[in-house]
Amino acid sequence: MKKFTQFLMMSVAMLFATAAFSQSTVTGKILDAEMNAALPGANVVEKGTTNGTTTNFDGEFTLTTQANSGSLVITYVGFGSKTITFTGSQDLGTIKLLTDNSLDEVVIIGSGLIDLAEDRQTPIAVSTIRASEIQAKVGTSDVVATLVNTPSVYVAGQAGGFGDSRIAVRGFEQDNTAFLLNGQPINGMEDGRMYWSNWSGMADIANAIQIQRGLGSSKLAISSVGGTVNFVTKATDKRQGGFISTGVANDNYFKSTIGYNSGVTESGWGVSAMLTHWQGDGYNKGSYGEGQNYFVSVGFKANESHNFNFLITGAPQTHDQNFTKPISDYLQYGRNFNNNIGTYKGQYMTERTNFYHKPVSNLNWDWNISENSSLSTVIYASWGRGGGTGNYGRSAARIRNDQGLIDFDAIAANNRTLGDGTFGNNGYLIRGSMNNHDWYGLVTNFQTKLSENISLNTGLDLRTYQGKHYRQVVDFVGLSSWTESRDLRGANHQPDKNDRVFNTVDQSYSIEPWYATFNTTPSDQRLDYDYGETISYGGVFAQFEYANDNLSGFFQGALSTQSHEREDYYDYKPEFQNAEKVNNVGYNLKAGGSFLINDDNSVYVNAGYYSRQPYHDNIYLNYTNEINPLTSNEKILGFEAGYAFKSQYVTANLNLYRTSWKDRVTTSSRQLAKDTDFGGKIIPAGDLIYETNEGVEQLHQGVELDLVAKLGDRLKLKGFTSIGDWGYVDDVVTTTRDENRNVLARESKDVDGGKVGDAAQFTVGLGIDYEILERFSIDADWRSYDNLYANISPDKDNIELPTYDLVDMGISYKMLIGKEKTSSLNMRLNVNNVFSEVYLSELRNAYVAEPGDETYKGINVRNQGYFGFGRTWNFSLRYNF
């Protein structure tokens, strides 16, 4: 019995010893493969058991396994699962997960060109929106609407129509924020502006959007005054599959999309393609839109060292436009009133339609030279064709009915009494202002590790751009032809009455975007203006970075030269049609460093100086060949500092910034609410006027805070706030011009202390995401906007718009389909502005309310602007296979 007891005790001890010996400690770090970013809260489970853990906010995990060898199953909502084998205690290193949407499991091509925040260890103020969130929340909005829940971002202009949104970052408009598509610049070469109607397919093809506020991590010779927005598109998919999706929304909106991926063959080839059609009436009257999106990506992996990808995408579209108007008009006719529309022969008609097609293509080559060195190169091109329509002739010929709408039948009747039309006999027609371009470029970047702690990036940025601008007739509205005269300009750029020419136009042209893509209007059928420009750009850049376990620092510099040539074929004598060539040199310098205090706390500081060349449209005066002597390089000086806290359940970022911007030249436009006297010349109501401001200086400073908290396995809380102080400094010179670019007035004024408008200087937001059941979740976002001022030319006196709050909500459900559960049906319902808040989203004037003036919430109703949308909704179904 004693021996048996001893044997039993020894057996138990051996069992415990065996169990202890069979256990292992496995560690690793889980990242988003596309964005190279940590995935906090990812599940790590030992296969065949319930033993598991989750990653912390750095994506790291430690798991004591029940067996000495086996497999770990790693999952994360929105990403494909991964199974990793282990043997004994070991560090599995970095494990990358791919998102599980069909076109999202991609190879990122040109990764050395796409300046993502994670590519440099020194931090910046950054927010990343991934494909799953873009697809869920964009609805019928422009793609920039996905950025509204980030600090210091304000989106305006949606009430203008599909694609007319504008985004401001830290109070700087989008012509002063850099936008990149897979590393290539896409801001307009002439004026730096972005027209989101040209990019209506971006929400369908974007794999991620990363907004870098402030100095950013871009190495190109571009001035990220407000920030840098990187659009990372899908490329060739790794696996075979596809999707079909459809969506409906308020105001008869409908969208359908189909996409398919061949997968990568054994020989290294693969193709991904997508096609979309959309259409809708628009929230406001007279804002109908319709278009298509197409995307084709062909990839070839020649070997482990060389990877190629060809991509072409485009979004031909038309959308009718709504312009700002006096608040009094909205109060009289309704908040969705549009005075650009009417009827003609019993059918709806508008005088304001945007139509455009901008195919974009690029060829990427990634070369892994060695373990420490690589070269990424992209050759790209875009061909823009289209423009916008509007009234042409005498504004007095625009006849309105008692509902404030255009009476095209009455206009046609008046036109028919004229026989033909000229400026002098009250004729009226609808013109199309064409803005065509051809743009070619190359960006190449060589990166290498010089040592264990030091890395180098260096490269080239080359671009050439040719623009063509003219007007053509879209609809004669009862006229048979149009005749106009002009006095040609000579060496002094002034019209010469002794050299007067006449031109008669008798052909009209379609505004269908595919037609506009291939049509070129003959020069004798162009009216009002006909000019072009050639802009050539060359830049070099380099960046050094040092990084060890706790400390990092970088220095980056870029030098660029830009030349401008202008040709005017309409207003100049033949020998003076070519303007003097202008060359400008610019540069930027950036440096920064960070220190990791411990695993949970870190700090950083960055500084940068830019000398940026003025835009083309500000170099030549009054749309003539005369050079503006006041333009010079704009000077931007920026400082920012930040603190980051990361723990298992909470991550938070605090950023401080100060940006000064000197020697600015800006141009804005507005529609006159009433007949206005400019030095004895009466400009009638409804006409557009343009204001150019020279020598503008702005100072923007503020604080930003964003946080994410994981409150249990199913509930996530997000929040942000931004407090800004954005104002003008010193004096500004303002030149006012009419729609035909004639100078109406010029004055100098003190604007010191004036508030910068068009973006709320105080924002706060809170969002929740709760998973009710597996794959069934609900989310809600609340935002409040305050200290929002009118979008006017620099002025000492500005008016503040009323504070407003918005609440958006959404419900998502993902149903797994098929025996192997490899297909899914995703359903999403969004309701925006749930409580139908009535608010002014922007104003274009700053008329102070005087005693006796009619007001709306304290605002003089003479002021022109937009009301924001009321409650809207959209619902989508997406079948992935």
Side-chain angles (χ1 to χ4, degrees), residues 79-134:
F79 289 74
S81 63
K82 196 167 219 179
T83 301
I84 304 291
T85 61
F86 67 91
T87 301
S89 297
Q90 68 178 111
D91 182 359
L92 297 176
T94 298
I95 303 165
K96 295 186 176 182
L97 299 186
L98 294 163
T99 49
D100 65 358
N101 298 309
S102 293
L103 270 178
D104 296 340
E105 294 188 20
V106 301
V107 180
I108 285 194
I109 299 297
S111 57
L113 300 170
I114 304 173
D115 292 310
L116 301 178
E118 293 79 8
D119 294 337
R120 192 175 68 201
Q121 294 194 39
T122 305
I124 54 176
V126 62
S127 300
T128 301
I129 315 298
R130 291 177 174 79
S132 55
E133 184 174 354
I134 297 169

Short mmCIF file of all heavy atoms in Angstrom, two decimals, residues 79-134:
data_model
loop_
_atom_site.label_atom_id
_atom_site.label_comp_id
_atom_site.label_asym_id
_atom_site.label_seq_id
_atom_site.Cartn_x
_atom_site.Cartn_y
_atom_site.Cartn_z
N PHE A 79 -11.34 42.35 -40.79
CA PHE A 79 -10.13 41.80 -41.38
C PHE A 79 -10.25 40.29 -41.51
O PHE A 79 -10.98 39.64 -40.76
CB PHE A 79 -8.91 42.13 -40.51
CG PHE A 79 -8.51 43.58 -40.56
CD1 PHE A 79 -9.26 44.55 -39.89
CD2 PHE A 79 -7.41 44.00 -41.27
CE1 PHE A 79 -8.91 45.88 -39.93
CE2 PHE A 79 -7.05 45.33 -41.32
CZ PHE A 79 -7.79 46.27 -40.66
N GLY A 80 -9.54 39.71 -42.47
CA GLY A 80 -9.51 38.27 -42.62
C GLY A 80 -8.72 37.61 -41.50
O GLY A 80 -7.74 38.18 -40.99
N SER A 81 -9.12 36.40 -41.11
CA SER A 81 -8.42 35.70 -40.03
C SER A 81 -7.10 35.11 -40.55
O SER A 81 -6.90 34.97 -41.76
CB SER A 81 -9.29 34.59 -39.47
OG SER A 81 -9.57 33.63 -40.47
N LYS A 82 -6.23 34.76 -39.60
CA LYS A 82 -4.94 34.18 -39.95
C LYS A 82 -4.58 33.13 -38.91
O LYS A 82 -4.79 33.33 -37.72
CB LYS A 82 -3.87 35.27 -40.00
CG LYS A 82 -2.60 34.86 -40.72
CD LYS A 82 -1.75 36.09 -41.01
CE LYS A 82 -1.10 35.99 -42.36
NZ LYS A 82 -0.30 37.16 -42.69
N THR A 83 -4.04 32.00 -39.37
CA THR A 83 -3.62 30.92 -38.48
C THR A 83 -2.09 30.82 -38.52
O THR A 83 -1.50 30.69 -39.61
CB THR A 83 -4.25 29.59 -38.89
OG1 THR A 83 -5.68 29.72 -38.86
CG2 THR A 83 -3.82 28.48 -37.96
N ILE A 84 -1.46 30.89 -37.34
CA ILE A 84 0.00 30.87 -37.23
C ILE A 84 0.40 29.69 -36.33
O ILE A 84 -0.16 29.52 -35.23
CB ILE A 84 0.53 32.18 -36.61
CG1 ILE A 84 0.06 33.38 -37.44
CG2 ILE A 84 2.05 32.14 -36.50
CD1 ILE A 84 0.67 33.48 -38.80
N THR A 85 1.34 28.88 -36.78
CA THR A 85 1.82 27.76 -35.96
C THR A 85 2.92 28.22 -35.02
O THR A 85 3.64 29.19 -35.30
CB THR A 85 2.34 26.63 -36.86
OG1 THR A 85 3.43 27.12 -37.65
CG2 THR A 85 1.25 26.10 -37.77
N PHE A 86 3.06 27.53 -33.90
CA PHE A 86 4.12 27.83 -32.94
C PHE A 86 4.67 26.51 -32.39
O PHE A 86 3.99 25.49 -32.37
CB PHE A 86 3.60 28.71 -31.80
CG PHE A 86 2.60 28.03 -30.90
CD1 PHE A 86 3.01 27.33 -29.77
CD2 PHE A 86 1.24 28.05 -31.20
CE1 PHE A 86 2.10 26.70 -28.95
CE2 PHE A 86 0.32 27.42 -30.39
CZ PHE A 86 0.75 26.74 -29.26
N THR A 87 5.90 26.57 -31.94
CA THR A 87 6.55 25.44 -31.29
C THR A 87 7.36 25.96 -30.12
O THR A 87 8.32 26.72 -30.32
CB THR A 87 7.48 24.68 -32.25
OG1 THR A 87 6.72 24.22 -33.37
CG2 THR A 87 8.12 23.47 -31.56
N GLY A 88 6.94 25.64 -28.93
CA GLY A 88 7.62 26.12 -27.74
C GLY A 88 7.39 27.60 -27.54
O GLY A 88 6.62 28.26 -28.25
N SER A 89 8.07 28.15 -26.57
CA SER A 89 7.98 29.58 -26.31
C SER A 89 8.74 30.31 -27.41
O SER A 89 9.90 30.01 -27.69
CB SER A 89 8.57 29.91 -24.95
OG SER A 89 7.82 29.30 -23.92
N GLN A 90 8.06 31.29 -28.03
CA GLN A 90 8.73 32.03 -29.10
C GLN A 90 8.03 33.36 -29.36
O GLN A 90 6.88 33.56 -28.99
CB GLN A 90 8.74 31.19 -30.39
CG GLN A 90 7.37 30.97 -31.01
CD GLN A 90 7.43 30.18 -32.30
OE1 GLN A 90 7.00 29.06 -32.37
NE2 GLN A 90 8.02 30.78 -33.33
N ASP A 91 8.78 34.25 -30.01
CA ASP A 91 8.24 35.53 -30.46
C ASP A 91 7.91 35.38 -31.95
O ASP A 91 8.79 35.16 -32.77
CB ASP A 91 9.27 36.64 -30.25
CG ASP A 91 8.75 38.01 -30.65
OD1 ASP A 91 7.59 38.10 -31.12
OD2 ASP A 91 9.50 38.99 -30.51
N LEU A 92 6.63 35.48 -32.27
CA LEU A 92 6.20 35.31 -33.66
C LEU A 92 6.48 36.53 -34.52
O LEU A 92 6.24 36.52 -35.73
CB LEU A 92 4.70 34.99 -33.70
CG LEU A 92 4.29 33.68 -33.01
CD1 LEU A 92 2.78 33.53 -33.04
CD2 LEU A 92 4.97 32.49 -33.67
N GLY A 93 6.94 37.62 -33.88
CA GLY A 93 7.25 38.83 -34.64
C GLY A 93 6.00 39.56 -35.10
O GLY A 93 4.95 39.50 -34.47
N THR A 94 6.10 40.20 -36.25
CA THR A 94 4.99 40.99 -36.79
C THR A 94 4.08 40.11 -37.64
O THR A 94 4.55 39.39 -38.54
CB THR A 94 5.52 42.15 -37.64
OG1 THR A 94 6.30 43.01 -36.81
CG2 THR A 94 4.38 42.94 -38.25
N ILE A 95 2.79 40.16 -37.35
CA ILE A 95 1.78 39.40 -38.09
C ILE A 95 0.83 40.41 -38.73
O ILE A 95 0.25 41.24 -38.02
CB ILE A 95 1.01 38.45 -37.17
CG1 ILE A 95 1.98 37.49 -36.46
CG2 ILE A 95 -0.04 37.67 -37.95
CD1 ILE A 95 1.37 36.78 -35.28
N LYS A 96 0.68 40.37 -40.04
CA LYS A 96 -0.13 41.36 -40.73
C LYS A 96 -1.45 40.74 -41.21
O LYS A 96 -1.45 39.67 -41.81
CB LYS A 96 0.64 41.95 -41.91
CG LYS A 96 1.87 42.75 -41.47
CD LYS A 96 2.53 43.45 -42.63
CE LYS A 96 3.70 44.31 -42.16
NZ LYS A 96 4.33 45.05 -43.26
N LEU A 97 -2.54 41.45 -40.92
CA LEU A 97 -3.87 41.02 -41.36
C LEU A 97 -4.34 41.88 -42.52
O LEU A 97 -4.06 43.09 -42.57
CB LEU A 97 -4.88 41.12 -40.21
CG LEU A 97 -4.63 40.27 -38.96
CD1 LEU A 97 -5.81 40.39 -38.02
CD2 LEU A 97 -4.38 38.82 -39.32
N LEU A 98 -5.08 41.26 -43.42
CA LEU A 98 -5.65 41.97 -44.55
C LEU A 98 -7.14 42.18 -44.32
O LEU A 98 -7.82 41.32 -43.77
CB LEU A 98 -5.47 41.16 -45.84
CG LEU A 98 -4.01 40.99 -46.30
CD1 LEU A 98 -3.93 39.86 -47.31
CD2 LEU A 98 -3.50 42.28 -46.89
N THR A 99 -7.65 43.35 -44.74
CA THR A 99 -9.08 43.59 -44.62
C THR A 99 -9.84 42.61 -45.47
O THR A 99 -9.37 42.14 -46.50
CB THR A 99 -9.42 45.03 -45.04
OG1 THR A 99 -8.80 45.28 -46.30
CG2 THR A 99 -8.94 46.03 -44.03
N ASP A 100 -11.08 42.26 -45.04
CA ASP A 100 -11.79 41.17 -45.68
C ASP A 100 -12.80 41.60 -46.73
O ASP A 100 -13.63 40.82 -47.17
CB ASP A 100 -12.48 40.29 -44.63
CG ASP A 100 -13.60 41.02 -43.88
OD1 ASP A 100 -13.80 42.22 -44.16
OD2 ASP A 100 -14.24 40.41 -43.03
N ASN A 101 -12.78 42.89 -47.16
CA ASN A 101 -13.62 43.29 -48.27
C ASN A 101 -12.94 42.86 -49.57
O ASN A 101 -11.73 42.94 -49.69
CB ASN A 101 -13.82 44.81 -48.27
CG ASN A 101 -14.52 45.25 -47.02
OD1 ASN A 101 -15.56 44.73 -46.66
ND2 ASN A 101 -13.94 46.22 -46.32
N SER A 102 -13.73 42.48 -50.56
CA SER A 102 -13.18 41.80 -51.72
C SER A 102 -12.06 42.57 -52.41
O SER A 102 -11.05 42.01 -52.77
CB SER A 102 -14.29 41.52 -52.73
OG SER A 102 -15.20 40.59 -52.20
N LEU A 103 -12.26 43.86 -52.64
CA LEU A 103 -11.23 44.63 -53.33
C LEU A 103 -10.21 45.23 -52.37
O LEU A 103 -9.39 46.04 -52.77
CB LEU A 103 -11.87 45.76 -54.16
CG LEU A 103 -12.23 45.40 -55.58
CD1 LEU A 103 -12.90 46.58 -56.26
CD2 LEU A 103 -11.02 44.95 -56.38
N ASP A 104 -10.26 44.83 -51.10
CA ASP A 104 -9.36 45.43 -50.13
C ASP A 104 -8.15 44.56 -49.82
O ASP A 104 -7.19 45.04 -49.25
CB ASP A 104 -10.09 45.72 -48.82
CG ASP A 104 -11.18 46.74 -49.02
OD1 ASP A 104 -11.10 47.47 -50.01
OD2 ASP A 104 -12.09 46.81 -48.18
N GLU A 105 -8.21 43.26 -50.12
CA GLU A 105 -7.06 42.41 -49.88
C GLU A 105 -6.09 42.63 -51.03
O GLU A 105 -6.13 41.95 -52.04
CB GLU A 105 -7.47 40.95 -49.76
CG GLU A 105 -8.32 40.69 -48.54
CD GLU A 105 -8.55 39.20 -48.34
OE1 GLU A 105 -7.80 38.39 -48.88
OE2 GLU A 105 -9.50 38.89 -47.64
N VAL A 106 -5.23 43.60 -50.90
CA VAL A 106 -4.47 44.08 -52.03
C VAL A 106 -3.00 44.09 -51.74
O VAL A 106 -2.56 44.03 -50.60
CB VAL A 106 -4.90 45.52 -52.41
CG1 VAL A 106 -6.35 45.59 -52.77
CG2 VAL A 106 -4.57 46.48 -51.29
N VAL A 107 -2.25 44.20 -52.82
CA VAL A 107 -0.84 44.52 -52.72
C VAL A 107 -0.74 46.03 -52.89
O VAL A 107 -1.24 46.58 -53.86
CB VAL A 107 -0.05 43.82 -53.85
CG1 VAL A 107 1.42 44.15 -53.74
CG2 VAL A 107 -0.28 42.33 -53.80
N ILE A 108 -0.13 46.71 -51.94
CA ILE A 108 0.05 48.15 -52.11
C ILE A 108 1.22 48.36 -53.06
O ILE A 108 2.34 47.94 -52.79
CB ILE A 108 0.30 48.87 -50.78
CG1 ILE A 108 -1.01 48.98 -50.02
CG2 ILE A 108 0.86 50.25 -51.02
CD1 ILE A 108 -0.97 49.93 -48.87
N ILE A 109 0.93 48.97 -54.20
CA ILE A 109 1.95 49.24 -55.18
C ILE A 109 2.47 50.66 -54.97
O ILE A 109 1.72 51.57 -54.67
CB ILE A 109 1.37 49.10 -56.61
CG1 ILE A 109 0.88 47.67 -56.83
CG2 ILE A 109 2.40 49.46 -57.66
CD1 ILE A 109 1.95 46.62 -56.75
N GLY A 110 3.77 50.85 -55.16
CA GLY A 110 4.34 52.16 -54.95
C GLY A 110 4.38 52.54 -53.50
O GLY A 110 4.27 53.72 -53.16
N SER A 111 4.54 51.57 -52.61
CA SER A 111 4.51 51.86 -51.17
C SER A 111 5.62 52.82 -50.77
O SER A 111 5.49 53.54 -49.79
CB SER A 111 4.63 50.55 -50.37
OG SER A 111 5.81 49.84 -50.73
N GLY A 112 6.71 52.83 -51.53
CA GLY A 112 7.79 53.77 -51.21
C GLY A 112 7.45 55.20 -51.57
O GLY A 112 8.16 56.12 -51.17
N LEU A 113 6.37 55.40 -52.34
CA LEU A 113 5.96 56.75 -52.74
C LEU A 113 4.85 57.30 -51.86
O LEU A 113 4.65 58.51 -51.79
CB LEU A 113 5.48 56.75 -54.20
CG LEU A 113 6.51 56.29 -55.24
CD1 LEU A 113 5.83 56.11 -56.58
CD2 LEU A 113 7.65 57.28 -55.34
N ILE A 114 4.09 56.41 -51.23
CA ILE A 114 2.95 56.84 -50.45
C ILE A 114 3.43 57.20 -49.04
O ILE A 114 3.81 56.32 -48.27
CB ILE A 114 1.88 55.74 -50.38
CG1 ILE A 114 1.47 55.33 -51.81
CG2 ILE A 114 0.66 56.20 -49.61
CD1 ILE A 114 0.55 54.15 -51.86
N ASP A 115 3.43 58.47 -48.73
CA ASP A 115 3.98 58.95 -47.46
C ASP A 115 2.97 58.79 -46.35
O ASP A 115 2.28 59.72 -45.96
CB ASP A 115 4.40 60.42 -47.59
CG ASP A 115 5.60 60.59 -48.51
OD1 ASP A 115 6.59 59.87 -48.31
OD2 ASP A 115 5.53 61.43 -49.42
N LEU A 116 2.87 57.57 -45.82
CA LEU A 116 2.01 57.31 -44.68
C LEU A 116 2.75 57.64 -43.39
O LEU A 116 3.98 57.56 -43.32
CB LEU A 116 1.55 55.86 -44.68
CG LEU A 116 0.78 55.43 -45.94
CD1 LEU A 116 0.42 53.97 -45.86
CD2 LEU A 116 -0.47 56.28 -46.12
N ALA A 117 1.99 57.98 -42.37
CA ALA A 117 2.60 58.40 -41.11
C ALA A 117 3.47 57.30 -40.52
O ALA A 117 4.50 57.58 -39.89
CB ALA A 117 1.51 58.80 -40.12
N GLU A 118 3.08 56.03 -40.72
CA GLU A 118 3.82 54.93 -40.12
C GLU A 118 5.17 54.69 -40.78
O GLU A 118 6.00 53.96 -40.27
CB GLU A 118 2.98 53.64 -40.19
CG GLU A 118 1.72 53.68 -39.34
CD GLU A 118 0.58 54.45 -39.99
OE1 GLU A 118 0.71 54.82 -41.17
OE2 GLU A 118 -0.43 54.68 -39.31
N ASP A 119 5.38 55.30 -41.96
CA ASP A 119 6.65 55.10 -42.64
C ASP A 119 7.78 55.88 -41.98
O ASP A 119 8.94 55.66 -42.30
CB ASP A 119 6.53 55.54 -44.11
CG ASP A 119 5.58 54.64 -44.88
OD1 ASP A 119 5.38 53.49 -44.44
OD2 ASP A 119 5.04 55.07 -45.91
N ARG A 120 7.44 56.82 -41.11
CA ARG A 120 8.47 57.57 -40.39
C ARG A 120 8.17 57.48 -38.92
O ARG A 120 7.05 57.69 -38.48
CB ARG A 120 8.46 59.04 -40.85
CG ARG A 120 9.66 59.82 -40.38
CD ARG A 120 9.66 61.22 -40.96
NE ARG A 120 8.60 62.04 -40.43
CZ ARG A 120 8.13 63.13 -41.02
NH1 ARG A 120 8.60 63.49 -42.19
NH2 ARG A 120 7.18 63.85 -40.46
N GLN A 121 9.19 57.15 -38.12
CA GLN A 121 8.94 56.90 -36.71
C GLN A 121 8.65 58.16 -35.92
O GLN A 121 7.99 58.11 -34.88
CB GLN A 121 10.14 56.15 -36.10
CG GLN A 121 10.32 54.76 -36.68
CD GLN A 121 11.27 53.90 -35.88
OE1 GLN A 121 11.27 53.95 -34.65
NE2 GLN A 121 12.09 53.13 -36.57
N THR A 122 9.12 59.32 -36.39
CA THR A 122 8.79 60.57 -35.71
C THR A 122 7.31 60.89 -35.95
O THR A 122 6.89 61.03 -37.09
CB THR A 122 9.66 61.72 -36.22
OG1 THR A 122 11.04 61.36 -36.07
CG2 THR A 122 9.38 62.99 -35.44
N PRO A 123 6.49 61.02 -34.91
CA PRO A 123 5.03 61.14 -35.10
C PRO A 123 4.61 62.47 -35.72
O PRO A 123 5.35 63.46 -35.74
CB PRO A 123 4.49 61.01 -33.67
CG PRO A 123 5.61 60.44 -32.86
CD PRO A 123 6.87 60.93 -33.50
N ILE A 124 3.37 62.49 -36.20
CA ILE A 124 2.69 63.68 -36.67
C ILE A 124 1.24 63.58 -36.21
O ILE A 124 0.80 62.55 -35.71
CB ILE A 124 2.75 63.82 -38.20
CG1 ILE A 124 2.22 62.55 -38.86
CG2 ILE A 124 4.16 64.13 -38.67
CD1 ILE A 124 2.14 62.62 -40.36
N ALA A 125 0.48 64.67 -36.39
CA ALA A 125 -0.95 64.64 -36.09
C ALA A 125 -1.67 63.97 -37.25
O ALA A 125 -1.69 64.50 -38.37
CB ALA A 125 -1.47 66.06 -35.88
N VAL A 126 -2.26 62.81 -37.01
CA VAL A 126 -2.75 62.00 -38.13
C VAL A 126 -4.03 61.27 -37.74
O VAL A 126 -4.24 60.93 -36.58
CB VAL A 126 -1.67 60.99 -38.57
CG1 VAL A 126 -1.34 60.01 -37.45
CG2 VAL A 126 -2.09 60.25 -39.83
N SER A 127 -4.91 61.05 -38.74
CA SER A 127 -6.09 60.20 -38.60
C SER A 127 -6.21 59.36 -39.85
O SER A 127 -5.98 59.85 -40.96
CB SER A 127 -7.36 61.03 -38.40
OG SER A 127 -7.28 61.84 -37.25
N THR A 128 -6.58 58.08 -39.69
CA THR A 128 -6.69 57.16 -40.82
C THR A 128 -8.11 56.59 -40.89
O THR A 128 -8.64 56.12 -39.89
CB THR A 128 -5.67 56.02 -40.69
OG1 THR A 128 -4.35 56.58 -40.64
CG2 THR A 128 -5.76 55.08 -41.89
N ILE A 129 -8.70 56.66 -42.08
CA ILE A 129 -10.03 56.10 -42.33
C ILE A 129 -9.85 54.92 -43.28
O ILE A 129 -9.34 55.09 -44.39
CB ILE A 129 -10.98 57.13 -42.98
CG1 ILE A 129 -10.87 58.49 -42.25
CG2 ILE A 129 -12.40 56.61 -42.98
CD1 ILE A 129 -11.27 58.46 -40.82
N ARG A 130 -10.25 53.73 -42.85
CA ARG A 130 -10.06 52.53 -43.66
C ARG A 130 -11.25 52.25 -44.56
O ARG A 130 -12.32 52.82 -44.39
CB ARG A 130 -9.75 51.34 -42.75
CG ARG A 130 -8.39 51.48 -42.08
CD ARG A 130 -8.12 50.34 -41.11
NE ARG A 130 -6.76 50.43 -40.59
CZ ARG A 130 -6.37 51.26 -39.61
NH1 ARG A 130 -7.27 52.06 -39.05
NH2 ARG A 130 -5.12 51.28 -39.21
N ALA A 131 -11.04 51.32 -45.50
CA ALA A 131 -12.04 51.06 -46.54
C ALA A 131 -13.39 50.67 -45.96
O ALA A 131 -14.43 51.11 -46.45
CB ALA A 131 -11.53 49.96 -47.47
N SER A 132 -13.39 49.85 -44.91
CA SER A 132 -14.66 49.39 -44.36
C SER A 132 -15.49 50.57 -43.83
O SER A 132 -16.71 50.61 -44.01
CB SER A 132 -14.42 48.38 -43.23
OG SER A 132 -13.56 48.94 -42.24
N GLU A 133 -14.84 51.55 -43.21
CA GLU A 133 -15.57 52.72 -42.69
C GLU A 133 -15.99 53.64 -43.82
O GLU A 133 -17.07 54.22 -43.79
CB GLU A 133 -14.70 53.47 -41.69
CG GLU A 133 -15.43 54.64 -41.04
CD GLU A 133 -14.63 55.30 -39.93
OE1 GLU A 133 -13.54 54.78 -39.57
OE2 GLU A 133 -15.09 56.34 -39.41
N ILE A 134 -15.14 53.78 -44.84
CA ILE A 134 -15.50 54.61 -46.00
C ILE A 134 -16.75 54.06 -46.66
O ILE A 134 -17.72 54.79 -46.92
CB ILE A 134 -14.34 54.66 -47.01
CG1 ILE A 134 -13.10 55.32 -46.39
CG2 ILE A 134 -14.76 55.42 -48.27
CD1 ILE A 134 -11.85 55.18 -47.23
#
